[in-house]
Each structure stands twice: as structure tokens, then as C-alpha cells.
Amino acid sequence: MNKKIITISREFGSGGRTVGKQLADKLGVPCFDHELILKLVEKSGLSEEYIKEESEYAHGGFLTAMLSSREMGLTNQDILWTAQRNIILEIAEKESCVIVGRCADFILRDKEKTFNVFIHASMEKRAERIVQQYGEREESPVQRLKEKDKRRAAYYRFYTDTKWGVAQNYHVALDSGALGIQYCVELLADMVEEFYKRI
Amino acid sequence: MNKKIITISREFGSGGRTVGKQLADKLGVPCFDHELILKLVEKSGLSEEYIKEESEYAHGGFLTAMLSSREMGLTNQDILWTAQRNIILEIAEKESCVIVGRCADFILRDKEKTFNVFIHASMEKRAERIVQQYGEREESPVQRLKEKDKRRAAYYRFYTDTKWGVAQNYHVALDSGALGIQYCVELLADMVEEFYKRI
């Protein structure tokens, strides 16, 4: 049987992580997300809290720090990127799996035949979802989403030098708000079979 | 029964037009593409050949002509855009259909509950396909594709003020090269049913 590596990129609040977990269950393969963070902690020696904050978002000072700090060598974020990259390469070499986020599509592009998915949803549907999942905050949900989108796009752009969310970079992009998470999982399971049958 | 309007945007050479026609057949609804061009001819009084050339691509002088010519009033391309827009609105008001290209997703955005699809494929697969379909030419197929992509993106950007090929603008984006045209048609027929069931 072919090894199947599915990478899922997603907008914050689109339910992409849930899609990834349910898809992995359906395919009977592991899903790497929290687990990945924990492995990262062990390898990098950085605190778990720091990693959660830094691992996928360009933080507040990220853009300003970008030029100056590298003259002094690698930033903590660069060290984390490398640790993360190595773990993703290791996991993907070993077995079939779903990897959510963390630029895995880019990291594995010349190494493995991955099936690359992008999950998004309208601002309205995502706002509903994050209020349900994470509760109300001081800033509006739309403000939180815009901020997260901007950071995620900046992080992706910086480390991959390609644009996040461009349809051509994925085998499939789905609007989980319009189609429903459960249905997206069913579609994807079917598509994964078809994709690996054809290669 | 809900009226179903499916818009298909596509990269040149991706087989998006074939997907549109086969999907329309499967759903038992009309597909507008050549037919639309012919209707345009009648309404606008412009020659069919001119329309084929101008209707969807920013032509050679398009960008330079953009600023200067509008000081003198509408360009032929603007007149065509308006005629095209009116016909799309008319068609979509009347009946379920598939509309391929022509910025229909944008034109109908506030009028109809459309299901918006984007079809793309790798440069390699598209090059294979256009050589098969349109034969060899003097310039390389990759060169032809790059030129077409650029024009299509410029046209879309100019008339819609949004970017072409951004995943978030479509309910689904599919790589027809990796998944196969026939399979894309089957997927889409199923998704259309689900989408209209949910609204």
C-alpha cells in the first residue's frame, strides 16, 4: 500500500483542525498537531508555552525583528522552525499520517507525494465558531480573525516565500462553512483514495 | 426545487470548460460558454471574432490603454463587459445553469446564491493538455500558458478588483490534473446537491 501523507492548511476558525482529526480517524492513520508540539518541546528545549505562541504565528514584533535580529544569528523562531521541519520530515518518512498546519505542505514538497488540502470559511461562519469554541473576548471575533489571518499569512510567506491560501498550491480547497465539516471529511477521505490510486 | 447556479473559473488548459459541460449534463441544466458568446454578439453588435479575442483576456495593449482611453469614455472592452454582465444576470435569473468563466462568480455575488468552483492543474499537466487539444505552436506551451494566466488574472483584477485564484473566493478549488476530469465532475455533482441542501 502507498504511504499517504495528507497536509491540511487552514484559516483560523474554519474547523480545519477538526477536519484533520476526523479524516485521520477515518483513514486509520495518526494526526499530528498537539502531538507535534509536544515532540517539538522535547527536541528544542524551549518551553511549551513559548512554542504555542511562536510556532505558527508571526508574533507582534516579528516583522520588525525580521531584518535586525538575524544579523546576530538565528532567532528563537528560526530555531523552532528548524526543529519543527526536522520532526515533520521524520514523521512523514515513517508512516501515513495527517499533518495539520505548520507549513507541512511546503516542507515536504520535494520529499513525499503529499495530498495538500486547504480549509477556509467565511468570516461570519468563522466568527460564530470561535465564539462557540473559545468564548467571548474583549476584541470582536472578526478583529481576532483578521489578526490571526495576517499573522499566519506573514509567517507562511516568510518561511516558504510563497503565498498562503492560493488555490493552485493545494490539490483541493474547501469552504467548510458552506459544506459542513462532516461532509468535508467524507469528501476528503474519498479524494485521498482517488489521488493515491492515480499516482 | 432550488435554482442552482454553478460558476466555474479555471486556468487555461486545466479542462475547466470540459468539467463545466459534463457537470451541466449530469445535472441536466444548460452550460453557458460559446452560447454566451453568441448571445453577446447579437446584443452588442460587435463582431464574433473581436469578442472571442477581447471577452476574457486583457489583450496586449490592455494595461497601457487602461488609464488613457477611459478619459475619452468607455472602451470597446467596457461595452463588452457590460453586455456580458447583463446577459449573465438575465440567464441566472431565469434558470439553473453552469456558467464557465467570464467573472460570473463576481457578477452574481449579490444577486444569486451561486456555487463557485475553481479548476486548476500543474503547469506540466496543462502543457500536455493544450498541445493535445490545440496542437504545437511556435512558442512553447509553458510560455503560452504563462501569457494566458497573466492576461486572465489582469482582466479579472481590473473588472472585479479582487484577485483571481484565491482559494477563499470559491466554495471549492480542485486540481483536475491530479484528480482527473471525470472524478472532478462526479465530486462536483455531489457537492452541488449538498450545498443547496444546506441553504
Side-chain angles (χ1 to χ4, degrees):
Chain A
M1 194 193 79
N2 271 329
K3 188 170 61 175
K4 295 176 180 121
I5 313 279
I6 298 103
T7 74
I8 300 195
S9 307
R10 76 293 181 219
E11 287 187 326
F12 184 68
S14 68
R17 218 181 99 223
T18 308
V19 169
K21 281 186 185 296
Q22 293 188 8
L23 177 63
D25 281 352
K26 212 173 167 75
L27 298 173
V29 303
C31 178
F32 291 92
D33 187 10
H34 280 309
E35 293 89 334
L36 185 65
I37 291 177
L38 292 176
K39 282 202 183 182
L40 275 169
V41 178
E42 287 166 33
K43 291 230 172 186
S44 65
L46 298 169
S47 84
E48 188 180 350
E49 201 177 327
Y50 175 84
I51 285 171
K52 269 198 185 135
E53 184 58 31
E54 303 278 325
S55 65
E56 206 175 356
Y57 298 105
H59 60 78
F62 174 76
L63 293 171
T64 9
M66 228 167 64
L67 293 167
S68 59
S69 58
R70 277 169 189 76
E71 288 169 15
M72 311 293 284
L74 295 174
T75 63
N76 275 351
Q77 202 167 24
D78 291 340
I79 296 166
L80 187 57
W81 165 261
T82 306
Q84 191 169 264
R85 185 177 172 280
N86 290 340
I87 289 169
I88 288 173
L89 288 168
E90 222 171 80
I91 288 169
E93 204 189 338
K94 216 169 52 187
E95 57 183 343
S96 291
C97 61
V98 173
I99 305 175
V100 180
R102 285 143 232 286
C103 311
D105 53 333
F106 176 81
I107 290 166
L108 296 170
R109 75 199 177 292
D110 300 322
K111 301 283 183 187
E112 301 284 344
K113 191 71 191 162
T114 56
F115 183 68
N116 300 324
V117 179
F118 185 74
I119 303 289
H120 58 92
S122 67
M123 193 55 92
E124 194 192 343
K125 290 272 182 187
R126 293 195 289 144
E128 255 177 54
R129 189 174 165 89
I130 65 166
V131 170
Q132 253 176 27
Q133 294 241 315
Y134 309 106
E136 300 282 355
R137 299 255 183 105
E138 256 178 56
E139 74 269 55
S140 76
V142 170
Q143 208 46 48
R144 276 154 72 194
L145 287 168
K146 283 189 178 162
E147 182 70 17
K148 288 272 194 185
D149 286 349
K150 250 166 100 171
R151 284 177 175 219
R152 209 168 265 194
Y155 180 84
Y156 194 87
R157 185 63 189 253
F158 182 74
Y159 282 106
T160 71
D161 207 22
T162 55
K163 275 196 184 167
W164 182 73
V166 168
Q168 287 94 330
N169 293 343
Y170 309 96
H171 296 108
V172 56
L174 293 173
D175 180 338
S176 60
L179 294 165
I181 286 179
Q182 194 47 52
Y183 182 67
C184 287
V185 172
E186 283 164 32
L187 277 178
L188 290 171
D190 199 76
M191 291 170 90
V192 167
E193 294 304 324
E194 181 69 19
F195 177 78
Y196 284 101
K197 216 189 292 165
R198 295 175 60 91
I199 58 174
Chain B
M1 194 193 79
N2 270 331
K3 188 169 60 174
K4 295 176 179 120
I5 313 279
I6 298 102
T7 74
I8 300 195
S9 307
R10 75 291 180 220
E11 286 187 326
F12 184 68
S14 68
R17 218 181 100 223
T18 308
V19 169
K21 281 185 184 297
Q22 293 187 9
L23 177 62
D25 281 353
K26 212 173 167 77
L27 299 173
V29 304
C31 177
F32 290 93
D33 187 11
H34 280 309
E35 294 89 332
L36 185 65
I37 291 177
L38 292 175
K39 281 201 185 182
L40 276 169
V41 178
E42 288 167 31
K43 291 230 172 186
S44 65
L46 298 169
S47 85
E48 188 179 351
E49 202 177 327
Y50 174 84
I51 286 170
K52 269 197 186 136
E53 184 57 31
E54 304 277 326
S55 66
E56 206 176 356
Y57 297 106
H59 60 78
F62 174 77
L63 293 171
T64 10
M66 228 167 63
L67 293 167
S68 58
S69 59
R70 276 169 188 77
E71 288 170 15
M72 310 292 284
L74 296 174
T75 62
N76 275 352
Q77 202 167 24
D78 291 341
I79 295 167
L80 188 57
W81 165 261
T82 307
Q84 192 168 263
R85 186 178 170 278
N86 290 340
I87 289 169
I88 288 173
L89 289 168
E90 221 171 81
I91 289 169
E93 204 188 338
K94 215 168 54 189
E95 57 183 342
S96 290
C97 60
V98 174
I99 305 176
V100 180
R102 285 141 234 287
C103 310
D105 54 333
F106 175 80
I107 290 166
L108 296 170
R109 74 198 178 292
D110 299 322
K111 300 283 184 187
E112 302 283 346
K113 192 71 192 162
T114 56
F115 183 69
N116 301 324
V117 178
F118 185 73
I119 303 289
H120 59 92
S122 67
M123 194 55 94
E124 195 192 343
K125 290 271 183 188
R126 293 195 290 144
E128 257 175 55
R129 189 175 166 89
I130 65 167
V131 169
Q132 253 175 27
Q133 294 242 313
Y134 309 106
E136 298 284 354
R137 300 254 183 103
E138 257 179 55
E139 74 270 54
S140 77
V142 170
Q143 208 46 47
R144 277 155 71 195
L145 287 168
K146 282 189 178 163
E147 181 70 18
K148 289 271 193 186
D149 285 350
K150 248 166 100 172
R151 285 177 175 218
R152 211 168 265 195
Y155 180 84
Y156 194 87
R157 186 63 190 252
F158 182 74
Y159 282 107
T160 71
D161 207 22
T162 55
K163 273 195 185 168
W164 183 71
V166 168
Q168 288 92 331
N169 293 343
Y170 308 97
H171 296 108
V172 56
L174 292 173
D175 181 337
S176 60
L179 294 164
I181 285 179
Q182 193 47 52
Y183 182 68
C184 286
V185 172
E186 284 164 32
L187 276 178
L188 289 172
D190 199 75
M191 292 170 90
V192 167
E193 294 305 323
E194 181 69 19
F195 177 78
Y196 283 100
K197 217 190 288 165
R198 296 175 59 90
I199 57 176

